[in-house]
Amino acid sequence: MSPTRDIRAQTEEDLRGWLKSHGEPAYRAEQILHWLYRQRATRWSAMTNLPGGLLKLLDQDFTFHPLNLITRQGAPDKTSKFLWQLHDGSLIESVLIPASPALYGDPSDRSTLCVSTQVGCAYGCRFCASGLEGWKRNLDPAEIVDQVLGTERWLASLPAAAETQLRIHNLVIMGMGEPLANYDNLLKALRILNAPWGVGLGARKITISTSGLAPRIRQLAREPFQFRLAISLHGVTDEIRGKIMPVNRKYPLRDLIGACEEYLELKGRMLTFEYILIAGINDSLDQVRPLAQLARRLHARVNLIPYNPVEGLTWTRPPDAAMDAFLEGLTKQRIPATLRREKGTDIDAACGQLRLQTERAWRKQIENPKTAP
Ligand code: SAH
Ligand code: SF4
């Protein structure tokens, strides 16, 4: 059976239709959804108020593959990186930025989870670990949804956490893969994550990051959801952007800007530009003015991100003073900008790196079992 038949890839409507076709009462949908999204059940036998016959039918028609947590890096009160194994053995990552200042601190603070949408990535940006070994496959909706549920299961396993600290409050679709290249599965997953019968995350708490697939941005602008949109810009001329992002050849800045304008017009929401600062590539101060002009035109805030070194890539991060000067330049132009000194550098937080390291170590182990740790 296809993995898209996973029980966590079904909407309430899908479930009701399925129950009806099996002569089961509609209220069972509510019970099943309660087990999946409130109780975060990972097996049929946990659903104790469902009759055995129904459980058997569910098991026949749907798969139920919770993600398998392979490793987690980081202290519970700091940024954590989760490495999950999928049912076909593939590895993906999610990154949890917990409610600050500490997980058990002020409960009004909110946690953020960064999730993956593909195994690998086909877009091959020159600075990114996720694209280094190409694209393997799209994640199905359940594999996207279960990154949230799996992280909440881990939070629930921590001692003495209050209920508000067990939930993910903000979601960023900024992990491995290009979300808009897996459009249908992403939208289905987001519908489930957003729905009151599902995970119940507000659309305004969900940010989708894209390397700039212009036609898909236009399509997203027409969806009935108020998702936030982040553009991985990283260069403000075609020359610079083209050098580090091959996608710019297909959708040059003119197309991308046109699509962003449409998103802005239809949604009326502020955009975010992601801009990784890479020494000698895009960090020159003469980039500040054109970047500020574009940000003003598209009503965007700018997230400056220090380049995070990736094994096998030669780029470097600019000195702190250069990054501070770039930020100051934008601020002087009255552009809302931040320099994200990532909490996760020490655990290789730029997504894709933990998977890369683990796969390389596993490969070595298979090729040369005697040197296995
Ligand atoms: N494919 C989508 C979403 C995933 S990549 C996109 O490109 O927007 C998203 C982000 O990963 C990038 O914008 C950047 O913020 C981050 N990233 C990737 N490689 C990085 C690196 N080496 N250093 C710092 N951030 C990196
Ligand atoms: Fe893919 Fe985004 Fe990485 Fe580019 S930055 S290779 S689009 S994951």
Side-chain angles (χ1 to χ4, degrees):
M1 180 165 289
S2 134
T4 52
R5 289 295 290 172
D6 195 284
I7 189 67
R8 288 138 324 141
Q10 312 306 314
T11 62
E12 185 182 37
E13 203 186 347
D14 295 337
L15 266 183
R16 282 181 192 278
W18 180 87
L19 286 163
K20 196 170 175 195
S21 71
H22 287 80
E24 295 282 344
Y27 72 87
R28 295 288 187 205
E30 219 170 281
Q31 291 177 321
I32 297 168
L33 294 168
H34 175 83
W35 284 112
L36 293 175
Y37 301 112
R38 298 280 94 75
Q39 300 295 329
R40 302 174 201 105
T42 53
R43 55 199 160 78
W44 302 116
S45 58
M47 303 185 177
T48 47
N49 57 355
L50 299 187
L54 177 57
L55 289 175
K56 213 165 152 200
L57 277 177
L58 283 164
D59 187 38
Q60 271 167 20
D61 280 13
F62 298 105
T63 56
F64 196 178
H65 292 307
L67 301 184
N68 180 20
L69 182 58
I70 298 278
T71 13
R72 190 191 59 83
Q73 286 183 345
D77 62 343
K78 298 216 177 84
T79 299
S80 288
K81 186 177 263 196
F82 296 79
L83 185 70
W84 310 103
Q85 188 163 41
L86 310 179
H87 66 97
D88 68 350
S90 302
L91 299 176
I92 55 162
E93 293 174 28
S94 320
V95 179
L96 174 68
I97 301 126
S100 57
L103 188 61
Y104 304 115
D106 177 357
S108 68
D109 281 333
R110 295 296 184 231
S111 58
T112 300
L113 187 72
C114 172
V115 298
S116 296
T117 51
Q118 299 183 310
V119 182
C121 182
Y123 287 82
C125 301
R126 304 277 182 252
F127 47 81
C128 176
S130 295
L132 264 187
E133 297 198 347
W135 175 86
K136 199 164 155 201
R137 71 170 174 86
N138 283 334
L139 297 191
D140 69 34
E143 291 165 334
I144 300 173
V145 170
D146 204 37
Q147 291 173 65
V148 177
L149 297 173
T151 305
E152 289 186 349
R153 289 196 292 272
W154 175 78
L155 286 169
S157 74
L158 295 175
E163 180 59 25
T164 52
Q165 293 156 336
L166 300 182
R167 308 300 306 253
I168 304 300
H169 302 100
N170 300 290
L171 193 63
V172 291
I173 319 296
M174 214 179 264
M176 194 190 316
E178 168 49 53
L180 298 188
N182 185 14
Y183 192 92
D184 293 343
N185 288 349
L186 173 72
L187 264 280
K188 183 135 199 207
L190 292 183
R191 206 169 299 139
I192 293 167
L193 289 164
N194 174 239
W197 48 259
V199 175
L201 263 173
R204 287 179 173 77
K205 308 280 182 193
I206 299 175
T207 303
I208 302 171
S209 174
T210 177
S211 60
L213 308 197
R216 296 302 196 176
I217 294 173
R218 293 180 197 274
Q219 189 177 349
L220 190 66
R222 285 173 174 72
E223 301 285 351
F225 298 103
Q226 287 289 349
F227 300 132
R228 290 176 190 274
L229 184 64
I231 305 294
S232 288
L233 192 66
H234 311 318
V236 79
T237 63
D238 281 322
E239 196 199 336
I240 294 179
R241 200 165 188 266
K243 208 186 277 178
I244 50 179
M245 300 182 74
V247 68
N248 196 73
R249 274 179 241 139
K250 191 155 187 203
Y251 304 115
L253 278 167
R254 217 172 55 149
D255 289 0
L256 175 58
I257 292 166
C260 289
E261 277 173 340
E262 200 169 321
Y263 196 87
L264 190 65
E265 198 179 302
L266 289 172
K267 297 289 182 207
R269 303 201 59 80
M270 196 173 196
L271 301 177
T272 301
F273 287 160
E274 308 283 337
Y275 195 99
I276 301 178
L277 287 164
I278 310 175
I281 299 293
N282 63 359
D283 63 334
S284 151
L285 287 182
D286 60 17
Q287 298 304 301
V288 169
R289 186 181 287 271
L291 178 56
Q293 278 167 349
L294 188 61
R296 200 167 297 121
R297 179 170 155 199
L298 288 176
H299 198 46
R301 68 170 70 85
V302 179
N303 263 349
L304 298 173
I305 306 160
Y307 169 72
N308 203 21
V310 175
E311 204 188 313
L313 299 181
T314 52
W315 314 105
T316 53
R317 171 184 293 205
D320 280 353
M323 298 197 290
D324 288 339
F326 203 97
L327 173 68
E328 202 186 312
L330 286 173
T331 311
K332 270 199 187 134
Q333 304 256 349
R334 290 203 288 281
I335 300 300
T338 49
L339 176 57
R340 202 209 292 164
R341 299 196 190 277
E342 332 98 293
K343 288 183 184 179
T345 313
D346 50 336
I347 54 156
D348 293 323
C351 242
Q353 302 204 42
L354 182 55
R355 164 183 174 254
L356 200 65
Q357 283 162 7
T358 310
E359 285 200 335
R360 282 178 178 165
W362 285 1
R363 225 174 283 151
K364 218 182 266 171
Q365 213 170 309
I366 291 164
E367 284 159 11
N368 193 358
K370 285 199 182 118
T371 62

